[in-house]
């Protein structure tokens, strides 16, 4: 008498709380075990590819000249000044923020979801892009400009590109200095395509927390090289190009890089913008694209199936 709840009800409340706590603990343990199994499965998925990549890397390190070239490459990367407001994010041209009516339902949904957690950000008068439709429109417009540039850079650095052969699913690698003089060969080059919408949405949701502006590899190309010195020459050509603003460089050929993060795969990956008169006239000067500089042995190992396994590896890890 005088208590807020009778004793039987108090005991019932404590029992419910105790059982609820047990359920929560068991749920957390189940999720932890499930995550560990998923991570283990993801490692097994690329284990064979990773072994091949590590053998290749070990072979490179056994060559003293290659190690010296790797150091020169590192010095070159460190000497390149990256630039651009806001870093490597997709921005709108100042004064061209776009109206809600011009955006798709999907884009508006992503924007609305993200706005609940973070206010819109601007960089030197430029707002981060939040329309996936607009981002893809820019990427498709920039695609031929990037193609023309990678051809120019490959020409002065003995760069190679994959070329289809008569065997289905098989490619060879030929220097652009040879390809551009052969009309038939030039039509067989396997240029990188604009990233699929499905994969883009996966990355936005899983990796970038619904921020469309962080998707900076929709428009991309790769150049392949027979030697580290040729790759370094190309990197210098890109950094000296007046039409290019380099925003970020990932040197996965650095001796200190943890290759486990990329399942053993290594390259030099950079994000850049084009500030040429053409790109400015088309309103594309703020679109960020990606260029990968890859050594030939890595490019040969990076088959279509191998890349699919790597994508699944990242999907399982929620990346």
């Amino acid at each position: 008498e005088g208590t807020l709840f009778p004793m039987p009800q108090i005991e019932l409340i404590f029992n419910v709380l105790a059982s609820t706590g047990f359920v929560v603990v068991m749920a957390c343990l189940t999720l932890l075990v499930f995550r560990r199994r998923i991570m283990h499965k993801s490692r097994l998925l690329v284990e064979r590819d990773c072994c091949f990549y590590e053998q290749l890397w070990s072979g490179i390190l056994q060559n003293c000249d290659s190690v010296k070239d790797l150091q020169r490459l590192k010095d070159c990367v460190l000497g390149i000044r990256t630039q651009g407001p806001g870093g490597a994010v997709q921005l709108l041209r100042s004064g061209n923020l776009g109206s809600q009516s011009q955006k798709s339902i999907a884009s508006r949904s992503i924007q609305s979801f993200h706005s609940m957690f973070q206010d819109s950000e601007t960089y030197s008068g430029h707002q981060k892009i939040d329309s996936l439709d607009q981002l893809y429109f820019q990427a498709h417009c920039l695609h031929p400009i990037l193609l023309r540039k990678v051809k120019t850079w490959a020409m002065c650095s003995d760069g190679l590109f994959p070329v289809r052969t008569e065997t289905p699913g098989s490619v060879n690698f030929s220097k652009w200095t040879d390809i551009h003089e052969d009309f038939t060969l030039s039509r067989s080059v396997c240029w990188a395509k604009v990233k699929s919408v499905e994969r883009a949405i996966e990355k936005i949701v899983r990796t970038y927390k619904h921020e469309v502006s962080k998707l900076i590899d929709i428009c991309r190309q790769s150049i392949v090289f027979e030697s580290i010195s040729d790759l370094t020459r190309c990197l210098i050509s890109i950094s000296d190009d007046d039409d290019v603003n380099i925003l970020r460089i990932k040197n996965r050929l650095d001796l200190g890089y943890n290759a486990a993060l990329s399942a053993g795969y290594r390259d030099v990956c950079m994000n850049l913008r084009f500030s040429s008169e053409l790109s400015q006239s088309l309103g594309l000067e703020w679109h960020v694209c990606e260029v990968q500089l890859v050594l030939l042995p890595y490019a040969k190992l990076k088959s279509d199936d191998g890349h699919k396994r790597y994508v699944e590896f990242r999907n399982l890890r929620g990346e």
Side-chain angles (χ1 to χ4, degrees):
E1 190 175 345
T3 59
L4 186 59
F5 297 104
M7 287 301 298
Q9 291 188 14
I10 294 176
E11 292 178 1
L12 177 62
I13 292 173
F14 275 110
N15 289 335
V16 170
L17 290 176
S19 61
T20 303
F22 176 77
V23 171
V24 171
V25 170
M26 290 303 298
C28 291
L29 289 175
T30 302
L31 289 173
L32 182 61
V33 171
F34 179 74
R35 174 171 172 77
R36 288 177 65 89
R37 292 187 63 183
I38 288 294
M39 297 297 283
H40 179 66
K41 182 180 178 181
S42 70
R43 286 193 294 270
L44 291 178
L45 189 66
V46 295
E47 186 174 28
R48 183 167 175 267
D49 298 325
C50 190
C51 288
F52 285 136
Y53 285 134
E54 286 304 316
Q55 290 174 10
L56 179 58
W57 183 243
S58 296
I60 292 175
L61 296 183
Q62 289 175 6
N63 187 312
C64 295
D65 291 335
S66 295
V67 174
K68 292 178 181 177
D69 288 338
L70 287 173
Q71 185 58 50
R72 294 190 190 99
L73 173 62
K74 179 179 180 179
D75 293 340
C76 178
V77 171
L78 293 175
I80 294 176
R81 182 179 178 182
T82 56
Q83 51 188 305
V89 295
Q90 302 286 11
L91 301 177
L92 288 168
R93 173 184 281 183
S94 180
N96 182 26
L97 303 183
S99 63
Q100 283 293 99
S101 61
Q102 295 174 321
K103 300 174 184 175
S104 69
I105 295 175
S107 297
R108 292 201 301 270
S109 299
I110 291 175
Q111 178 189 9
S112 299
F113 184 89
H114 177 62
S115 63
M116 291 189 296
F117 302 98
Q118 184 173 346
D119 295 332
S120 177
E121 296 182 58
T122 59
Y123 299 91
S124 301
H126 299 274
Q127 184 175 337
K128 293 197 299 185
I129 194 168
D130 54 28
S131 167
L132 190 59
D133 296 335
Q134 189 169 13
L135 198 59
Y136 264 87
F137 179 80
Q138 291 180 352
H140 281 284
C141 290
L142 191 64
H143 182 72
I145 298 176
L146 177 59
L147 267 182
R148 187 168 63 179
K149 279 295 185 182
V150 295
K151 294 174 184 178
T152 301
W153 299 328
M155 179 68 76
C156 63
S157 59
D158 288 330
L160 300 90
F161 296 106
V163 178
R164 288 186 297 273
T165 65
E166 295 180 357
T167 305
S170 176
V171 297
N172 287 329
F173 291 87
S174 300
K175 291 184 178 181
W176 180 247
T177 51
D178 299 327
I179 296 174
H180 89 287
E181 295 179 348
D182 188 326
F183 177 75
T184 303
L185 196 61
S186 64
R187 297 183 63 183
S188 301
V189 178
C190 302
W191 301 111
K193 298 179 181 178
V194 171
K195 182 185 289 291
S196 69
V197 176
E198 292 80 6
R199 179 56 182 157
I201 293 175
E202 285 178 354
K203 292 190 72 173
I204 291 171
V205 174
R206 295 175 179 173
T207 308
Y208 300 136
K209 299 180 180 179
H210 301 82
E211 288 194 57
V212 175
S213 63
K214 292 185 177 180
L215 195 62
I216 54 178
D217 62 346
I218 296 181
C219 181
R220 68 272 176 89
Q221 289 296 332
S222 298
I223 310 176
V224 180
F225 303 93
E226 293 177 324
S227 68
I228 301 170
S229 58
D230 286 343
L231 188 152
T232 304
R233 276 200 296 148
C234 184
L235 180 59
I236 293 173
S237 296
I238 296 173
S239 65
D240 289 342
D241 194 321
D242 293 334
D243 293 336
V244 173
N245 293 323
I246 299 176
L247 306 178
R248 183 174 67 179
I249 302 177
K250 288 184 180 179
N251 181 15
R252 298 188 181 103
L253 292 172
D254 192 311
L255 294 172
Y257 174 72
N258 180 13
L261 299 174
S262 52
Y265 177 74
R266 293 175 182 267
D267 64 6
V268 175
C269 179
M270 67 185 72
N271 299 108
L272 46 86
R273 293 189 180 109
F274 290 107
S275 56
S276 63
E277 291 185 9
L278 177 59
S279 61
Q280 292 185 49
S281 66
L282 295 174
L284 305 173
E285 71 272 22
W286 292 102
H287 187 89
V288 182
C289 59
E290 180 179 277
V291 174
Q292 295 180 359
L293 309 181
V294 189
L295 291 175
L296 180 59
Y298 280 91
K300 288 181 176 179
L301 283 176
K302 188 182 176 182
S303 63
D304 288 338
D305 290 339
H307 183 65
K308 289 177 182 177
R309 286 192 293 271
Y310 177 65
V311 171
E312 189 175 350
F313 164 78
R314 296 195 64 178
N315 284 342
L316 286 171
R317 297 168 66 91
E319 299 175 349

